[in-house]
């Protein structure tokens, strides 16, 4: 990062034509590298945000599915309870008939 840029600047300042060109190349290289890192850093951040949003949506869907499953389970239990009540009523009616 900063140290590499300082080295490049020192090379440019330090006399000779070739070292100046070298320094300029180094500066360009580090500039491009920095720009790419920044760009990919921002992209990565956006991607992570998108992933988080999708994860939240998946969690909501799973929660909804759980509720639906639980509701279905309750409905099934209610049905079987109703059936059992009907059976008991029938048994009770039969016993009452026997008593009469």
């Amino acid at each position: 990062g900063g140290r590499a840029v300082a080295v490049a600047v020192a090379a440019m300042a330090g006399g000779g034509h070739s070292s100046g060109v070298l320094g300029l190349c180094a500066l360009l290289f580090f500039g491009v590298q920095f720009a790419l890192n920044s760009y990919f850093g921002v992209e990565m951040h956006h991607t992570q945000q998108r992933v988080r949003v999708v994860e939240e949506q998946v969690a909501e869907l799973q929660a909804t599915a759980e509720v639906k499953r639980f509701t279905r389970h309750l409905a099934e239990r209610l049905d079987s309870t109703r059936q059992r009540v009907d059976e008991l009523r029938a048994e009770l009616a039969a016993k009452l008939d026997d008593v009469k």
Side-chain angles (χ1 to χ4, degrees):
R3 197 174 62 83
V5 172
V7 168
V9 171
M12 276 169 64
H17 178 69
S18 61
S19 69
V21 170
L22 225 95
L24 193 63
C25 285
L27 204 60
L28 257 171
F29 172 75
F30 290 118
V32 167
Q33 203 178 33
F34 176 74
L36 281 174
N37 285 346
S38 300
Y39 172 75
F40 284 118
V42 168
E43 275 302 295
M44 194 66 185
H45 180 67
H46 284 320
T47 303
Q48 283 169 340
Q49 279 181 324
R50 281 195 290 269
V51 166
R52 217 167 292 129
V53 167
V54 170
E55 281 173 346
E56 283 169 17
Q57 288 171 341
V58 167
E60 281 173 25
L61 285 172
Q62 282 174 337
T64 306
E66 286 292 320
V67 169
K68 281 182 181 166
R69 225 186 339 267
F70 184 63
T71 307
R72 194 161 48 243
H73 173 68
L74 282 181
E76 284 165 8
R77 279 187 54 187
L78 189 60
D79 280 347
S80 65
T81 305
R82 279 197 190 118
Q83 283 173 357
R84 185 73 188 119
V85 168
D86 289 343
E87 287 166 16
L88 288 172
R89 271 204 195 115
E91 282 176 36
L92 190 60
K95 284 195 171 116
L96 286 173
D97 280 347
D98 289 348
V99 170
K100 288 177 191 168

